[in-house]
Structure formats: C-alpha cells, structure tokens
C-alpha cells in the first residue's frame, strides 16, 4: 500500500478505536452503569474524546493529507482511497478551524444551558433558558463565521450533519412541500376521524417484547452483531465493526412506543451492520449523513412497518399474541389506528403526515435566530403563531411549545431538518425499490425481507460515508433530495385511510 | 497544591481514565458484547492500553518523580502524597525497565501459547503446550533478569502481584503450614465422611438468584455503585470510582457455585467500594495486592458465609425458599455438606482445607521452573508425584493435572501464591476482628454485618494501595503474613465437623 496512505490509515485507525471505546462507555452509561459511576464516566469519556481530537488535529494528519492530495489522481475518483482522502480532508479542515478554547467554551455553555433548559421546561418558563440560548446562539454564530465565505450563515451548522447540503436547497425543498402537507392535513381534519382506542389497552411487556424481537429478526437484524436492551430514550449505537446494538422502551398501556420504536432503531442498526468492512477503522465507516441514516430507520418503521401488506402478514400473529385485546378488532380498524393523523404539540409523538411540519417550523426559526432576524426573547410568540398556521392548534404553554426539545440546549443547531429529510429520502428510495423489486408488496406480505435488505445493503449501506448525501441520493434515484415521492406516498396512503 | 505533584496527578488521572475505559470494554466483552464484536474490541483495547503505557513511561513522569523525591521530606511518610510518589516510582521503574519489544513479544507468545494450551487441555496432551511453555518461561526469566540484583530469580515475578514480597518469605510460610495441613487432611480422610448430596438437588435459578442477592445486600454491597450480571467465569470489575460490579454464574443442579461465588465476588466489590475517594484517579486507588484482595473475598465467602452463626440466621430462610428440597434436611447436615473436605484434582473446586495444597504444589513447581531445576518436559511427572504426596490421589490425566489452569498460558507466573496468601490473611484479620468486635459471632448470627464492614473499611479498604501487603498486615495484626491463624481456624472448624 501507498506509504502515506498507510500512515494516515494507522492514525485514523487509532482514532476510530478511541471513538469506539467512547461509544462503549456511552452505551453502558445509558444501560447498565450504576448511578454513582457517572462522575468517573464523564472523566473517562472526556479524556478519550480529548485524545482522539488531539490526534486527529495533529499537524501530521495535515502533512499526510497534503502529500496524498498530490497523489490522488492515480486513484479512481470513486475509489475508497480517493474518497477517504476527500472525506478526511473535509473533517480535518473543519476540526482544525475551531480553536480548542471555543470547543471548551461550548462544553461549558452546554453544561449550564442544558441544566437551565431542564428547569425551564419543568416550570414551563422560557425566561430561565433565554440567557443561555442567547449565549449558545452567539457561539453558533461565531462557529459559522469561522467558515466564511458561505452562501448563508446557516450553511456551516447544517453541514455538520449533512455534508455539503446548502440552506438554500433545504429551504426550497420545504417551501415546495409545506403548502401541500398543510392542505392534506386540513383535508384529513375535515374527514371522519379514526378511532385508535384499540392501541391504548393493556399489553403485557414480555409478549410485546417477543413479538417485536421476532419481527426485527424476520427483517434480518443480525444478532451475532447486535443486542437489544431497555433505556429511557431508545437509540442505536455502533460500538465498533461487528457490534451494532439497539435499545428500546416499553409502555404496557400503549402499543406504539415499543413496537415502532424497535423497528426504527433496528432500521438504523441494519444500516450500520451493512457497512463495508473494507471501510472499518476509517471515517468512511459511518452513515453518509443523518438524513441518510434516518431514511433507513423511517423506512422500516413506516414504509414497511405501518404498511397494509406488512400487517396482512403480522396482524393474525399479533391477534394470537393478544387474543383478549384484539380478537374483536378487525385488521382494517387496527391498520387505521396505527396510522391515525392528528395534529399534536409534541414532535416525537407526531404521525407521518404532521411530522414534517414540526421540522419546518424549527428550521425556519433556527435560520431566523442565526440570521438575527428574530430575537431570542420573541421566540415563544413566533413559535405559537407559526404552529397555529401550520397545524391549526396553539400550544397551551412553552413546555409543549418552544421548550419541548433538548437539542438547542446541547448546542445542536442545524440538526432538526435531517429528520424531515430522512422521511423524504425514504420515500424517494422506495419508489426506486418498487421499480427494482416490482413485487415488493407481495414480498412484504409474505415477510420476505431479504430482497429489500439486500437492495439497501448494496445501494445505501455498503458505501458508508463515501458519498455526500445529495450525491448518494442522486446516484440511486436519479434526482437530488426532494419532496415529490414523500408527498405522493402520503396522499395515496391517507386518501385511502380517510376516504379523501 | 505543589506544582510538580499537581502535574504528576494530571498525568496519572488521564492514565486512570484510560484504564477505567479499558475496564468498561473488558466488562462488556464478558457480559453483553455480541460475538462478532470481538475483533474490533481487541483493537480498541489494544489502542487504549498502548496509549496508557506510552503516557506512563514518558520521560515527563520520570522528571516529575525526580523533582518530587527531592521534596518528599516535607510530607509525612504515610501521607497520601508521600505514598503516591513512592508507589508511582516503583511502578514507573518497573514499567520503563521492560523494553517495548519485549512487551510486544509477550503479547505474541501469549496469543499463541493460550491457543496451544486450549488444544492441549482438550486433548489432555502436554506435548502440544510444551514448546510454548518453554518460550513463555524463557520470557519470564529474561523479564526477571531485568531486575537484577535480586535475592531470588522468582522475586521479580512475585513482585508483580505482591509488591515487595520475597520468595524466601512465601517459601517459609508455606513450609510451615504444609505438613500441618497434610496431617489435618489425613485425619479427615480417616474420619466418618460427610454426605453432601443435599446440595446436588434441583434449585431453580430465580430463587437462588434472589436469595444470594438478598444476602450480599445484607452484607452491605452498595447497589448505587454496583450491579450483578451473569458470565461464564465470575469476576469483579472496577470500572471507575463509584462503579464496582460483580458477575456470577448459576448451576441449577448444585447449590454452591452461585451462592458462594456471589459472596466471593461481593467481597471483592465491597473492598473496592470502600477505597478512599481521595485516592481516585491515582495508582493508590487499588487493592494493596492480590492477596489483600483475596483476603476480602475469602472472608465473606468462607469465614462468614460458611460459618455456623451465618447459617443459624439464614438456613431457616433458605428452607423457606426451597421447602421441597430442604424441609427434611437439618441445619447440621446442611452446614456439614457445605464444608465437606475431600481431596480433588481441580483447584477451583477445592474445599477450604485442601485448597492451599493445590497452591503450594504450583508455587514449588513455578520456582523450580524459573530456577531451571526442572525441565518443562518433566513437569507432568513431577506434578503427579507431588500431588499424590500432598493430597493422596494421582491425577488420571494431564487435563486434570498440570494442564488444568490457564495462568501459565497467559504468561502469569507468580500469580498462584496470592490465592493461598489471601486465605492466610483472611484468618489473621479475623483473629483481630474477634478481639475488636468480641460479639462478632452474635452479630453474624443476627445478620448485622455493618460493624464488620466498617472495620474492614477503616483498616483494609480505605488505604487502597498506600501500603505494601506485608506492611498492611503488620500494621493491622502486629505480625507479618503467616499461617498460624489459618491453621487454628481450620483445625477448630474441621475438628468439630469431623469429630477429630
């Protein structure tokens, strides 16, 4: 192998080992760590992260990249080698541009800001969080300014989660779909409402658990490189190549959280399990972006797991698991219940049709905040006004409004849109899947998921982070990320359910 | 704080963070890691260990120690500061004396040697392991020679686990107790035998689990800084200050493994939970030595958990848990069964009376190997001959003889004697405890363990690794490590049980 490439890979491998160790610590913290282990765990995590950061931003990495960029023409532009150099350069330039003092400053702002946010939310009092948000926002603005020149000040923060995605693109995508989604939701609101009371019965934990585990096993979740545990907030974690776990939660009074949450996290994990091991211990062993990752979780959760063919197979099985609760409930009633559309205040509880509107609201507000066109103190009023415009209801208080999400208190500006983009990408991919596997509905109806997983493996999982998200979606679907397919999907599905 | 001390502590804190992270990785590997995570886990672990080693052996550490040693007189000799400098110096000199090439060489020898040992044991064919043991032994000899001058070539390997303990001391201790233990066992063999068939009934897992958990909770095992999980081989692990977990295993056909194994590991964990947090993130946050650690696990397992007062409290409770199995079994029958003495081939299954003889055999053989007074090829014959001399039985094959233990294949020469020394120390401490807490038997009979745990906390746990093991035992008991108390304990206990 090329000497410089080999030297770079050695450094990246060590950093990847440290990041994997850090992921083990994080997973354990959420699952099995006794509560008095928290302080020491924070210290270990801090030390690992600092060492990894120091190693990555060392001058050696810069010199090797310089040397390799001179050699790059000898590799095919889409080769692992050329892409590794390209992606590492991007990340190196970003990492080295942020002074250590600013990194430390943010850690402090986040630590205090998150505490204030918790208090503010529990008291539903925005003013408690306001001064912290002002500082966090100021930090994000200074962060963005390090990356001048840019087309838009929001570009650098968005770029953290969606490499090379531009604010103008996201705005255009959302501007296109917003009025159509609003119109759809109005139509649904005027139609005969769906009754989802069947989902709010008592479903004993063990039976729920086994049923969900069976479904993700059928999907192809590989237990030899995975596991499932309980946590307050479900997540998927990659602890290293060959180790892609999920966590979940169970509510005995409501069917949805465990079942769809588990499908969602398994979707993330199967994505990770499918990444090419040739990319292991490099930055390419990763999702192309958060939206690409979310397209996988939402596909298994919604396009598969909330579809009619899926339940044609699984509903009779579920009735056997819960005979008392479901024997008198028809498949049609159950299918409509799990797809009920109803504007609600809390994003994480939103249905497929209203979810994106929650995101658009946040994106507009974030952009306005960063541009300075709205002042932090005016956020609650702006939130409530826009919320009513999009969803037809007004939050009763800030806890159910502008204070509901943790992200800003963690300094995560630019993150939200990836959730909505993931929905759009999932539908774009699905249209291609329907072309490539014309009997996909029959396959799902027979619980034959191998062809679907194989397709996703080849197209989306294997390449890891070799391609930028727009590039990957273009390569697979022939178009950039856009809302057309998702809108068609929503309109078809909900017209049938609500008889529009 | 002193500038040099503060600088040294910063480095040691970072190393301690890395070691704690490594402990999390190790714990997870034994408990929850999916099997295909092994390769990546090995890489992460290797990287953490290498970084920690590089940081500790850096010239900075040496310079700070030099400077601090000039200042030491300003601290009391037993202060945390003076002891930290002393212990760090010892470890630094040892760590820097071993060339990196030798460290890497051993890792390779161990990797191949352990594989060969596994095959050799499964086929009971010593010749498969022999050439590897020759190389591992040669490595240990070269390792020992780095520490010339020494009184005995075995001193440096023993010192790895028992700081400053000398081979001559251990030999003298064992020479004193061996004939007496052999005599006791002969007397027991000639007495009426104990029937332990009551222990070999069906004991459902859940009931065993809850009973053992209740007992260690009564002991004072602190769940806010601990947890219990299942593994093939039980162990205790400290993942950081405030995080001291145990693992265990359950056999449904035999009462002993889960119950006494859990008490044993809880003993280790309570030791760790009691270490002073003032010593956190330094090498002093540790057991004084392996024998001191083993004295704690064996005390709770045997001196408490296999004692008559203990079962006077717990046997009626156990009968309620397993009414079918135990309703017609008297307390006396049960107590004798869990204390049955019977020479057996496998060390880890040995009873309190025969256990030490297994260790003495190994120690003599290790010393002879390192001295070169026995050749590796002659080990099986030597083993069987001595085994018969001490325990009156001859192993039927090498798998049940010289090949039974994994230690040598891991390059762990010098480790075994710590097990026997731990037994001796537990009895030495117990004699002092009986003096300091005269009604300790009544306390145990009432399941009041707080005074005992408090005593151990003050004397043994809090100081961590500030004192060398001989120093600590001398401070607490007024004597160095010796076999007198353990022999008295065995003779009293087994004379009653066997009517000698």
């Amino acid at each position: 192998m090329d000497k410089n490439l080999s030297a770079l890979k050695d450094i990246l491998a060590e950093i990847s080992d440290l990041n994997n160790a850090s992921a083990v610590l994080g997973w354990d913290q959420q699952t099995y760590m006794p509560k008095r282990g928290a302080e020491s765990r924070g210290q270990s995590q801090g030390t690992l992260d600092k060492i990894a950061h120091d190693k990555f931003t060392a001058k050696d990495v810069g010199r090797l990249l310089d040397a390799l960029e001179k050699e790059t023409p000898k590799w095919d532009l889409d080769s692992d080698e050329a892409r590794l150099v390209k992606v590492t350069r991007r990340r190196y330039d970003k990492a080295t541009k942020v002074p250590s003092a600013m990194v430390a400053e943010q850690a402090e702002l986040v630590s205090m800001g998150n505490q204030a946010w918790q208090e503010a939310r529990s008291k539903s009092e925005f003013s408690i969080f306001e001064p912290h948000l002002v500082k966090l926002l100021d930090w994000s603005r200074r962060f963005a300014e390090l990356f001048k020149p840019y087309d838009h000040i929001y570009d650098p923060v968005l770029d953290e989660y969606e490499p090379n995605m531009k604010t103008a693109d996201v705005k255009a995508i959302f501007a296109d779909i917003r009025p159509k989604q609003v119109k759809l939701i109005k139509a649904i609101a005027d139609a005969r409402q769906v009754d989802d009371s069947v989902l709010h019965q008592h479903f004993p934990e063990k039976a729920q658990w086994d049923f969900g585990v069976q479904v993700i096993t059928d999907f192809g979740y590989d237990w030899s490189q995975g596991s499932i545990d309980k946590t307050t907030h479900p997540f998927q974690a990659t602890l290293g190549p060959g180790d892609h776990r999920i966590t979940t939660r169970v509510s005995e009074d409501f069917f949805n959280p465990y079942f769809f949450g588990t499908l969602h996290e398994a979707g993330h994990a199967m994505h990770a399990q499918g990444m090419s091991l040739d990319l292991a211990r490099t930055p390419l062993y990763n999702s192309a972006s958060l939206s690409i990752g979310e397209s996988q979780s939402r596909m298994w959760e919604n396009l598969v797991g909330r579809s009619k063919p899926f339940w044609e197979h699984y509903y009779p099985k579920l009735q056997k698991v819960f005979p008392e609760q479901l024997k008198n409930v028809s498949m049609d009633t159950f299918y409509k219940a799990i797809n009920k559309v109803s504007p609600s205040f809390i994003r994480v509880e939103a249905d497929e049709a209203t979810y994106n509107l929650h995101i658009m609201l946040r994106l507009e507000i974030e952009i306005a905040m960063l541009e300075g066109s709205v002042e932090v103190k005016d956020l609650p009023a702006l939130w409530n006004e826009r919320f009513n415009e999009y969803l037809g209801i007004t939050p009763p208080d800030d806890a159910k409004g502008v204070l509901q999400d943790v992200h800003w208190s963690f300094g995560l500006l630019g993150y939200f849109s990836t959730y909505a983009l993931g929905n759009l990408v999932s539908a774009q991919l699905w249209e291609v899947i329907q072309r490539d596997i014309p009997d996909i509905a029959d396959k799902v109806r027979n619980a034959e998921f191998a062809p679907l997983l194989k397709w996703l493996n080849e197209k989306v999982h294997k390449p890891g982070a070799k391609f930028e998200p727009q590039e990957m979606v273009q390569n697979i679907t022939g178009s950039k990320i856009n809302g057309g397919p998702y809108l068609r999907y929503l309109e078809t599905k909900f017209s049938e359910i609500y008889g529009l």
Side-chain angles (χ1 to χ4, degrees), chain A residues 156 168 179 186 208 239 314 319 331 337 346 384 391 440 449 484 496:
Chain A
K186 288 235 166 76
Q208 281 197 60
L239 281 58
Y314 284 104
Q319 282 181 308
M331 150 83 192
I346 303 298
N384 293 349
L391 287 146
I440 181 67
F449 301 107
E496 194 222 321

Side-chain angles (χ1 to χ4, degrees), chain A residues 64-344:
Chain A
L64 287 166
L65 285 171
D66 290 343
L68 281 162
E69 278 158 346
K70 283 182 199 140
E71 304 171 25
T72 299
K74 82 181 178 196
W75 292 306
D76 179 85
L77 275 182
D78 284 351
S79 65
D80 290 355
E81 292 80 4
R83 288 288 170 159
L84 178 62
V85 172
K86 186 179 170 188
V87 170
T88 306
R89 163 61 75 189
R90 258 184 74 82
R91 295 169 67 125
Y92 178 78
D93 285 351
K94 293 198 81 168
T96 50
K97 237 173 207 164
V98 188
S100 320
M102 258 187 87
V103 175
E105 184 197 348
Q106 195 201 26
E108 213 166 306
L109 291 177
V110 163
S111 162
M112 291 186 304
N114 183 255
Q115 226 174 323
W117 170 78
Q118 291 192 23
E119 196 194 334
R121 194 177 68 157
S122 76
K123 296 183 178 165
S124 196
E125 216 173 301
F126 184 73
S127 62
I128 298 170
F129 183 45
E130 189 193 319
H132 298 274
L133 184 53
V134 168
K135 284 182 198 160
L136 283 159
L137 188 62
D138 172 66
W139 188 94
S140 288
R141 209 175 277 132
R142 282 184 284 131
F143 170 86
E145 280 165 3
L146 296 171
F147 299 95
K148 276 185 172 168
Y150 41 63
D151 300 336
H152 191 286
I153 189 170
Y154 194 76
D155 283 354
V157 301
L158 179 62
D159 186 272
E160 287 286 286
Y161 312 104
E162 294 297 319
N164 233 352
M165 179 77 92
K166 300 295 174 209
T167 308
D169 296 335
V170 180
K171 277 171 120 171
I173 293 166
F174 287 177
D176 174 47
I177 60 174
R178 193 180 47 239
K180 295 169 190 162
Q181 275 204 251
V182 170
K183 202 179 135 200
L184 176 67
I185 290 158
K186 288 235 166 76
I188 291 173
D190 295 339
R192 202 161 68 114
Q193 291 310 293
V194 159
D195 175 7
D196 68 348
S197 58
V198 297
L199 304 173
H200 295 275
Q201 302 181 78
H202 183 73
F203 298 101
E205 170 162 343
K206 174 78 168 68
Q208 281 197 60
W209 188 272
D210 293 346
F211 184 74
V213 162
Q214 184 57 53
V215 169
I216 63 173
T217 306
D218 294 347
F219 278 177
Y221 179 63
D222 177 359
W223 295 98
S224 77
Q225 43 175 333
S227 64
I228 183 167
D229 289 277
K230 279 204 285 184
T231 51
T232 316
H233 302 286
F235 63 91
Q236 184 271 323
T238 286
L239 281 58
D243 191 347
H244 310 278
R245 309 180 191 181
I246 62 174
T247 72
T248 188
R249 67 190 159 122
V250 186
S251 159
E252 290 201 318
D253 304 320
F254 186 20
F255 177 77
N256 290 4
Y258 167 74
F259 187 74
F260 294 107
T262 301
L263 268 45
H264 182 97
E265 301 309 335
H268 279 304
M270 290 187 289
H271 179 183
Q273 290 178 340
M275 293 187 298
S276 167
L277 287 175
D278 294 344
L279 309 176
R281 301 177 93 198
T282 77
L284 301 184
Y285 191 79
N286 214 326
S287 173
S289 77
L290 289 189
S291 72
I292 299 297
E294 199 71 4
S295 78
Q296 300 304 290
S297 53
R298 298 292 270 185
M299 183 179 290
W300 291 100
E301 177 194 357
N302 291 331
L303 285 96
V304 175
R306 277 189 165 93
S307 75
K308 204 172 238 180
F310 176 87
W311 286 107
E312 280 165 4
H313 181 88
Y314 284 104
Y315 190 61
K317 294 178 191 297
L318 187 67
Q319 282 181 308
K320 277 192 196 138
V321 175
F322 298 114
E324 272 180 55
Q325 297 89 332
L326 299 177
K327 69 177 167 224
N328 296 321
V329 179
S330 71
M331 150 83 192
D332 188 60
T333 302
F334 181 82
Y335 170 71
K336 284 181 174 169
I338 58 165
N339 283 297
K340 183 184 177 174
V341 173
S342 166
S344 58

